[in-house]
Amino acid sequence: MKPPKPRPTETVELNNDGAKAALQASVDMYVRDKSVPVSALTNTQNENQNPFIAGQLAMMIAHPAEYAKMVDLAGKATGADKAVADAVVENMRYGLIPEGPARRAVVFGGSNIHIIKDEYVDGGLDEQAAKALICFWTSPEWSTKLARTGSNPGNLRGFKTEWMKERLDSIKFLDVTTSMLPSGIPFPVIPEATEIMNIIVPDMLQNALTEKMTVEEAADDAAAKVEELLGGL
Amino acid sequence: MSILTGQETVALSPAARPGRVSLWRRIINHRTDYLYVLPALLVMVIVIAYPIYYTIELSFFKTPANLQMRDKIFVGLDNYGTILSSASFREVTINTLIWTFFSTLFAFLLGSAAALALHREFMGRGVMRAVLLIPYVVSAVAASYVWKWLYHSDFGVIGALAVQLGITDQPINFLDNTTSVLPSLIVVNVWKEFSFAMVMLMAGLQTVPEQLLRAAQVDGASPRQRFWHVTFPHLRGVSMVTVLLLMVANFNSFIIPWIMTGGGPAGASDIWITQIYNIAFGRQRYGVASAYAVILFIVMMVLGYFYVRALTRGDDARAE
Amino acid sequence: MAEVVLKDVIKNYGNVYAVNNVSFTVEHGEFVALVGPSGCGKTTTLNLIAGLIPMSGGDIAIGERIVNDLDPKDRDIAMVFQNYALYPNKSVFKNSAFPLQMRKLPGDEIARKVTDAAKLLDITHLLERKPRELSGGQQQRVALGRALVRDPAVFLMDEPLSNLDAKLRVQMRSEIKRFHHNLNATVVYVTHDQLEAVTMADKMAVMNGGLLQQYDSPANVFAHPVNTFVASFVGSPAMSLIPLDVVSKGTEASLRSPEEGWELPLSTMNARKANASSNGKVVLGARHSTLKLHKEAAPGAVPGKVYTVEPTGDVTFARVFISGAVVNISLDPSVAIAPDEKVWVEFDRERMHLFDGETTMALQAA
Ligand SMILES: Nc1ncnc2c1ncn2[C@@H]1O[C@H](COP(=O)(O)OP(=O)(O)OP(=O)(O)O)[C@@H](O)[C@H]1O
Ligand SMILES: [Mg+2]
């Protein structure tokens, strides 16, 4: 294996002032104000769904698909829960993530397509076919269809299709969530993204929120880990 | 082992040094025996020996994240160095020791108490026994999820009860807290496995010879003295085995910590095995994870050695 | 003085009566053997005396004290168990010292008593060993030693020799007897081996099905068994029993084989006994040594057919079919007979036993 190519364009911003300020804001909410539930430290988005439909959570960061999920959960509720769940669905609204000092921003999710190197493919890689598949997959039409209820299309031109219009008409609150798109920041397209998003950043948050580290230390620690990750194999 | 030594030594190879038969001779003499265990041995080689070998091999390599192991780079003992010198290793090891020690201790104590309580006859003993066995037969995965919700820092049943009973005014924070998370997990683990100790010791108690207890009674021993002088020594062997099995299980336990906290928050409940899983399948560092696994393997082998010793102690005594 | 008195003792498990209304008295210094077939309630009786299991009814007194509600440790007894019941993790010394420790005796006194007992039983050199490092006989001695150190009023022993091989058993038998003699101890000794009981005991209590059959000296039990069960249980080979019909002729009487028709005239005394039979049938009992074998018909002899011949060296035992029953006869080894040979057997008119055909009890002269 060849030595990894240097990637000079990448700089680690996880411990810049803005990132630290954001982390500090989380700490203020969780530690100082206690304005978020204790379980927010470890909860995943899915784990917020049940308390939300039970009327126990006032607000959560949610996905465009969350409304459909809530309707589904309300449909399954029984007895006294049913009334509460119906009320929650009835009163549910989407809003935009608030604007920070610099601007409004949200990190995009996304999905990856990997094409395996020729040498690893039994019988050889048909590169043309792979490319064709990607073209099809990321086409305005297919990407809109793929994301029908779940998310927004990956191809911007997908927004101009007739299906997108149909979605906007039929799926509640999609207009609100879609209007957040211009504030979106895509994650750097590097293989290490998963580890950074799923491990390093949550660790940083937990380190700070549990006061195991100061905001400063947690951010620097995370940045160092990212540097190490990018420098390694 | 006694089959292989003894008279055969004399009968088959008088020339050999006394007490020793050449390995080859012994294998030849027992060739059919080997034939009988061969199929089982082959399966073991495939499903156990090879993975162990491969893990050890990988532990000397730096591996790419893409599972293409032919791209791996030999790094000698670097992975071991990385682990042993990493800041988290100390923390995780301490967690592992706390987890293993206290889980084993309390599971054993609780199990012994339950076994002793159930050993006497009383109304509803059978029902009690069945009830106390439930944790052991419940799926660990299901139990972990249930406990996770019982413990939930905002909506947990335990927290709600504590508030309702006026013990606390806030729901108790069990799992979202670096100091209480490990003890809380240990409670679940003890709850889950004390019945194992209970079953083992109940079996042990049943083999305490009635005559010995009666002899002690005639000799003037009180129930407590009968326990100390007859029952307790009799249970020593089964206790050893139980403690060792619990220790092995706890060193290796994955389901409860993984499902309930995944090692968090901020690594406060990370133990070796969750760490290994994280490194391997969260961060795709198969080489480092393998080295970690090898370290764990060595520790387990040491425990295993004592386990086998404890098991075969009786045999040696008889062979004397 | 420590006598043991059992009065109407009952132990039942539901409707299984393990011990049913048993009464007997063991005098001070007496050696009493409890015998009977397996499951007859010997161990249960012993455990009741020891206080290891609660009684269902009756009274037990030890040394003039009713002990019904006393713990085993307060009954002033020591017990020796069938499997020795030595504490496996304790040395021989500690095993023997254990009952004394439980009674909180001072250490030097314990040491003295244990050493004395060890000397008596010749196990001084074994004191530091663990039970599993001892032979069966040695273990048995240690178990005896542990009972001995306590100097109890009564020794209870439950088949203490049954785990030993035949030779060792004979040896230990005389040692226990010797030890009883030296200590002048009261002993209740359970065995299912009637020979052990006969050779060792001053009195034997023969039990069957939870009931006490006979309680008397071995000689009396041997000479005057109260029923066919005791008759067939005591003595080796067992007393032969032949069911026959009574033919009464006034004060005279004879016994007739219902199958073969021959008649055996009885002595006057025996005729009176036979006439007392409740159903006109009796069981004739005879010990092997009282029978004479003839190769030809003889007056007073009844016909039979040889079944097996078992030479043992000193004496040859012949088993002969008489009126459908098997009869044991001891012969001089020089007598040459073969299976299936026709023979005649002469009964000793004075030393025969007559039992009631219905109740199986020994018949008394009316
Ligand atoms: N705990 C019990 N529950 C029910 N029945 C019992 C119990 N213990 C003893 N028995 C019954 O009581 C009877 C007498 O038992 P015991 O042990 O006294 O016999 P034993 O004369 O000592 O026989 P062995 O010579 O075989 O030792 C047996 O029929 C036995 O099955
Ligand atoms: Mg018995």
Side-chain angles (χ1 to χ4, degrees), chain B residues 211, chain C residues 38-44 47 82 158-159 190 192:
Chain B
Q211 275 208 347
Chain C
S38 187
C40 71
K42 306 180 295 286
T43 299
T44 309
N47 285 341
Q82 178 171 359
D158 189 359
E159 311 208 20
V190 165
H192 61 257

Side-chain angles (χ1 to χ4, degrees), chain B residues 143-184:
Chain B
S144 301
Y145 277 112
V146 170
W147 273 98
K148 191 173 170 176
W149 275 105
L150 289 178
Y151 270 153
H152 196 281
S153 336
D154 294 305
F155 314 111
V157 176
I158 300 176
L161 274 179
V163 171
Q164 249 170 34
L165 295 175
I167 301 167
T168 56
D169 33 330
Q170 287 284 309
I172 307 164
N173 183 351
F174 290 105
L175 299 181
D176 291 311
N177 178 322
T178 49
T179 47
S180 63
V181 62
L182 197 56
S184 304

Side-chain angles (χ1 to χ4, degrees), chain C residues 23 29 64 93 106 112 117 138 165 197 206 248 274 283 296 311 322 359:
Chain C
S23 304
E64 295 174 349
F93 181 90
R112 188 175 51 75
Q138 289 168 333
D165 66 46
V206 185
S248 287
V283 177
E296 266 127 47
I322 297 179
T359 64

Side-chain angles (χ1 to χ4, degrees), chain B residues 258-304:
Chain B
W258 182 255
I259 290 181
M260 290 187 64
T261 65
S269 61
D270 227 359
I271 59 176
W272 279 1
I273 199 99
T274 50
Q275 181 81 341
I276 291 171
Y277 185 88
N278 250 325
I279 296 175
F281 303 107
R283 296 164 53 193
Q284 267 84 39
R285 307 271 208 295
Y286 300 105
V288 180
S290 296
Y292 228 128
V294 170
I295 295 175
L296 177 63
F297 179 72
I298 291 168
V299 172
M300 300 314 298
M301 288 313 279
V302 171
L303 282 180

Side-chain angles (χ1 to χ4, degrees), chain A residues 1 30 36-43 47 50-51 56-57 116-117 119-120 194-195 199 203 206-207 210 212 228-229 232-233, chain B residues 62-66 68 70-71 73 91 148-149 152-155 173 175-178 264-268 278 282-285:
Chain A
M1 171 120 188
Y30 188 80
V36 286
V38 180
S39 54
L41 180 66
T42 50
N43 263 6
E47 283 167 338
N50 282 312
Q56 300 284 336
L57 279 182
I116 294 169
K117 279 186 186 170
E119 56 192 290
Y120 297 136
T194 329
E195 185 171 341
I199 296 173
D203 277 355
Q206 288 193 348
N207 283 334
T210 59
K212 189 180 169 188
E228 190 198 320
L229 177 66
L233 185 78
Chain B
K62 215 168 174 123
T63 53
N66 61 13
Q68 292 302 335
R70 53 180 123 136
D71 290 342
I73 300 166
E91 217 174 301
K148 191 173 170 176
W149 275 105
H152 196 281
S153 336
D154 294 305
F155 314 111
N173 183 351
L175 299 181
D176 291 311
N177 178 322
T178 49
N278 250 325
R283 296 164 53 193
Q284 267 84 39
R285 307 271 208 295

